[in-house]
């Protein structure tokens, strides 16, 4: 056993060293690519200067011959026309997030000929992104998303100017970044970012196209359109007008936890691009005549789309009303704390160390006794992908639903055991219970629930969770465990 532990420790040390070396190589590659980009920009500037010195013949047409050929099919659409195309060429659009929403949105904005497209993202490409984030390719895994996306966009259409903002959007920098663009696309996936983006867009007078997607459903809104000063009743509502309070932090599910179908988030990103083109190419009079609405998409419903009319600006909105309390200074200074406003969840502190075991401790049989029960609280669709031998699947959704519907006490004054508990666990009062989930969060909640039901027998029976769930199981015990 000691030899195995030593071998595992040695392998972990080698992996850490290799990862450090890989990180160093990525930094060097990024520096080289930045230098190459700077050289290319300098060469282009020199070429432009040389061209300007030479006498040029004024063209009869506002677009180049190549642009007429490239954009001709959309320019003959009545709603766009030549004037709409010229507006697109002169427009500057900022896409915040180069993921599942931002990729298709940027792809079609570039294809349509938007003059300047900025991309904001601090993440790198992972293989788990590739089924839905269509600008990234397998060869770019490990590369910054904005650089990967711009590489693809430049191949698609070399006419627009692409600007990379290689960091997550921060309140201190958001106003300065937004100020250089005409329209903002919110392609992020968390409430704190959505409130920050909306607040900054409203304070700077920028219209905003916001979307979200999870599992098989999506939502879309065009906000602050037309943009008007705070207190003006003719301006479009902002994100705070629609959602004055953020959802409970423990109710927010990410794509990593809840899952996402690629075409679903792709549909919402395409709709963002479409709405952006409509906003950029239309007039303010048309924007004022278009009532705000929330578009809801559900892939497995009939019909798949439905729209809900939104109210105009709230008279007490903290950003766009006459009683506004959020200002550019409060955003820049950090006094408007978006993370605190939206709340945080720290499941790592939910249980004491005595109520948790590591995957290695579980595998080695520490504190287990002669037998043990393993409850896997992932949803059945995940349980079917991979599971521990002889484990029992009780989905977290089933446990939560029972908690809301079960009576507090039975006729004898005792709290009844819920129906989702199998008999082999309730009839056995001695063998320990281990609870496992995907990342070690839900399992802690279930351990507390089991103890509230009295299954730990006042501490005589072991009821613990496997710390870190199957994410840690793969790292510590079985490297071949499916990573999904």
């Amino acid at each position: 056993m000691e030899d195995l532990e030593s071998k595992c420790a040695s392998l972990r040390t080698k992996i850490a060293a290799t990862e450090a070396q890989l990180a160093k190589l990525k930094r060097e590659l990024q520096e080289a690519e930045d230098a190459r980009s700077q050289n290319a920009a300098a060469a282009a500037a020199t070429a432009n200067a040389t061209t300007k010195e030479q006498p040029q013949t004024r063209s009869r047409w506002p677009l180049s011959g190549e642009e007429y050929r490239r954009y001709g099919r959309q320019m003959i659409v009545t709603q766009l026309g030549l004037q709409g195309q010229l507006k697109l060429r002169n427009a500057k659009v900022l896409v915040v997030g180069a993921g599942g929403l931002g990729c298709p949105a940027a792809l079609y904005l570039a294809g349509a000929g938007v003059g300047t497209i900025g991309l904001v993202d601090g993440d790198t490409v992972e293989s788990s992104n590739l089924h839905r984030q269509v600008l990234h390719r397998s060869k770019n895994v490990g590369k910054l998303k904005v650089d990967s996306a711009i590489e693809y966009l430049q191949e698609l259409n070399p006419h627009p100017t692409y600007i990379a903002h290689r960091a997550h959007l921060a309140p201190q920098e958001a106003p300065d970044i937004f100020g250089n663009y005409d329209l903002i696309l919110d392609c992020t996936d968390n409430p704190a970012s959505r409130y920050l983006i909306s607040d900054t867009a409203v304070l700077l007078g920028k219209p905003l196209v916001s979307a979200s997607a999870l599992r098989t459903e999506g939502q879309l809104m065009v906000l602050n359109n037309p943009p008007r000063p705070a207190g003006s009743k003719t301006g479009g509502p902002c994100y705070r007008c629609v959602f004055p309070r953020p959802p409970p932090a423990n109710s927010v599910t990410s794509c990593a936890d809840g899952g996402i179908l690629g075409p679903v988030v792709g549909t919402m990103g395409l709709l963002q691009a479409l709405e952006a083109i409509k906003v950029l190419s239309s007039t303010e009079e048309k924007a004022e005549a278009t009532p705000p609405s929330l578009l809801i998409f559900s892939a497995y419903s009939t019909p798949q789309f439905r729209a809900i009319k939104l109210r105009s600006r709230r008279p007490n909105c903290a950003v766009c009303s006459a009683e506004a309390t959020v200002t550019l200074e409060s955003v820049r200074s950090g006094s408007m704390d978006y993370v605190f406003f939206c709340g945080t969840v720290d499941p790592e502190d939910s249980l004491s160390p005595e109520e948790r075991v590591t995957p290695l401790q579980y595998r080695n049989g520490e504190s287990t006794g002669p037998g043990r029960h393993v409850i896997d609280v992932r949803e059945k669709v995940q349980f079917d992908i991979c599971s521990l031998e002889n484990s029992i699947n009780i989905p977290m959704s089933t446990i939560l639903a029972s908690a809301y519907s079960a009576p507090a006490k039975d006729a004898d004054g005792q709290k009844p055991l819920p129906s989702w508990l199998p008999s082999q666990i309730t009839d056995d009062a001695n063998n320990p219970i281990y609870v496992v989930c995907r990342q070690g969060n839900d399992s802690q909640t279930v351990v507390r629930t089991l103890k509230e039901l009295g299954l730990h027998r006042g501490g005589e029976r072991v009821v613990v969770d496997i710390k870190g769930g199957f994410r840690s199981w793969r790292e510590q015990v079985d490297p071949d465990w499916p990573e999904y």
Side-chain angles (χ1 to χ4, degrees), residues 76-338:
I76 60 176
V77 175
T78 304
Q79 288 84 348
L80 187 69
L82 173 62
Q83 294 306 313
Q85 188 63 50
L86 293 174
K87 288 181 179 179
L88 292 182
R89 188 175 70 168
N90 294 328
K92 298 179 180 181
V93 177
L94 181 68
V95 180
V96 185
L101 293 167
C103 282
L107 180 67
Y108 275 84
L109 290 175
V114 171
T116 301
I117 300 175
L119 290 170
V120 181
D121 204 308
D123 285 339
T124 57
V125 180
E126 300 176 0
S127 59
S128 62
N129 303 146
L130 300 178
H131 85 283
R132 67 192 186 280
Q133 299 181 15
V134 293
L135 291 182
H136 310 309
R137 290 166 285 183
S138 298
K139 70 173 186 177
N140 284 344
V141 169
K143 192 172 186 176
L144 282 169
K145 284 186 178 180
V146 290
D147 293 329
S148 172
I150 289 175
E151 178 183 306
Y152 189 109
L153 296 174
Q154 286 174 331
E155 293 178 4
L156 172 69
N157 189 353
H159 292 291
T161 299
Y162 302 103
I163 301 175
H165 301 276
R166 300 180 179 91
H168 294 298
L169 187 68
Q172 296 81 0
E173 301 168 354
D176 293 333
I177 295 175
F178 281 30
N180 298 318
Y181 295 91
D182 306 312
L183 174 69
I184 313 300
L185 267 64
D186 181 355
C187 301
T188 61
D189 61 357
N190 65 87
S193 295
R194 293 191 186 111
Y195 282 101
L196 166 62
I197 292 168
S198 176
D199 290 354
T200 308
V202 170
L203 293 170
L204 291 174
K206 313 290 183 180
L208 169 66
V209 183
S210 177
S212 61
L214 182 67
R215 299 188 180 99
T216 62
E217 300 179 342
Q219 296 182 353
L220 174 77
M221 295 180 292
V222 180
L223 302 170
N224 197 41
N225 186 47
R228 291 287 187 269
S232 172
K233 296 181 180 180
T234 61
C238 71
Y239 194 82
R240 286 182 187 265
C241 293
V242 183
F243 304 108
R245 297 181 182 84
N250 57 9
S251 70
V252 178
T253 303
S254 67
C255 291
D257 292 328
I260 183 69
L261 287 184
V264 171
V265 69
T267 296
M268 304 317 297
L270 292 178
L271 288 172
Q272 281 186 280
L274 175 60
E275 292 300 325
I277 290 171
K278 288 165 61 179
V279 171
L280 293 170
S281 61
S282 65
T283 61
E284 285 198 5
E285 291 76 12
K286 184 175 290 187
E288 290 179 354
T290 303
S293 63
L294 169 66
L295 182 67
I296 299 176
F297 172 71
S298 181
Y300 285 84
S301 296
T302 303
Q304 293 179 319
F305 290 94
R306 61 190 179 98
I308 299 175
K309 184 178 179 180
L310 296 177
R311 295 179 179 179
S312 57
R313 288 182 168 182
R314 285 181 176 267
N316 60 344
C317 178
V319 181
C320 65
S321 73
E323 303 174 9
T325 56
V326 178
T327 66
L328 283 177
E329 284 306 313
S330 66
V331 172
R332 278 197 179 99
S333 66
S335 61
M336 177 59 239
D337 190 330
Y338 291 94

Side-chain angles (χ1 to χ4, degrees), residues 200-468:
T200 308
V202 170
L203 293 170
L204 291 174
K206 313 290 183 180
L208 169 66
V209 183
S210 177
S212 61
L214 182 67
R215 299 188 180 99
T216 62
E217 300 179 342
Q219 296 182 353
L220 174 77
M221 295 180 292
V222 180
L223 302 170
N224 197 41
N225 186 47
R228 291 287 187 269
S232 172
K233 296 181 180 180
T234 61
C238 71
Y239 194 82
R240 286 182 187 265
C241 293
V242 183
F243 304 108
R245 297 181 182 84
N250 57 9
S251 70
V252 178
T253 303
S254 67
C255 291
D257 292 328
I260 183 69
L261 287 184
V264 171
V265 69
T267 296
M268 304 317 297
L270 292 178
L271 288 172
Q272 281 186 280
L274 175 60
E275 292 300 325
I277 290 171
K278 288 165 61 179
V279 171
L280 293 170
S281 61
S282 65
T283 61
E284 285 198 5
E285 291 76 12
K286 184 175 290 187
E288 290 179 354
T290 303
S293 63
L294 169 66
L295 182 67
I296 299 176
F297 172 71
S298 181
Y300 285 84
S301 296
T302 303
Q304 293 179 319
F305 290 94
R306 61 190 179 98
I308 299 175
K309 184 178 179 180
L310 296 177
R311 295 179 179 179
S312 57
R313 288 182 168 182
R314 285 181 176 267
N316 60 344
C317 178
V319 181
C320 65
S321 73
E323 303 174 9
T325 56
V326 178
T327 66
L328 283 177
E329 284 306 313
S330 66
V331 172
R332 278 197 179 99
S333 66
S335 61
M336 177 59 239
D337 190 330
Y338 291 94
V339 175
F340 178 79
F341 174 67
C342 294
T344 59
V345 176
D346 188 6
E348 293 297 326
D349 296 331
S350 298
L351 298 177
S352 66
E354 293 75 20
E355 296 173 298
R356 315 193 74 186
V357 297
T358 66
L360 278 175
Q361 288 173 325
Y362 171 83
R363 186 200 64 178
N364 295 338
E366 295 181 21
S367 305
T368 62
R372 53 187 172 181
H373 301 290
V374 181
I375 299 177
D376 188 330
V377 297
R378 295 174 300 159
E379 297 303 307
K380 185 178 183 302
V381 67
Q382 296 188 45
F383 185 80
D384 290 342
I385 294 174
C386 53
S387 61
L388 294 176
E389 187 177 358
N390 297 324
S391 59
I392 304 168
N393 182 217
I394 307 177
M396 184 68 174
S397 58
T398 301
I399 298 173
L400 292 176
S402 173
Y404 288 115
S405 61
K409 293 182 179 180
D410 59 16
D412 298 327
Q414 300 295 321
K415 195 168 186 178
L417 294 176
S419 59
W420 50 262
L421 271 174
S423 58
Q424 62 261 46
I425 290 180
T426 57
D427 295 344
D428 177 4
N430 297 312
N431 285 328
I433 300 174
Y434 292 84
V435 185
V436 66
C437 65
R438 188 181 179 196
Q439 300 189 56
N441 297 336
D442 291 343
S443 57
Q444 298 181 68
T445 301
V446 175
V447 165
R448 291 199 305 272
T449 300
L450 295 177
K451 289 192 170 185
E452 290 171 0
L453 293 171
L455 269 69
H456 67 314
R457 296 171 53 227
E460 295 182 12
R461 185 182 191 183
V462 173
V463 180
V464 295
D465 94 308
I466 298 179
K467 188 175 182 178

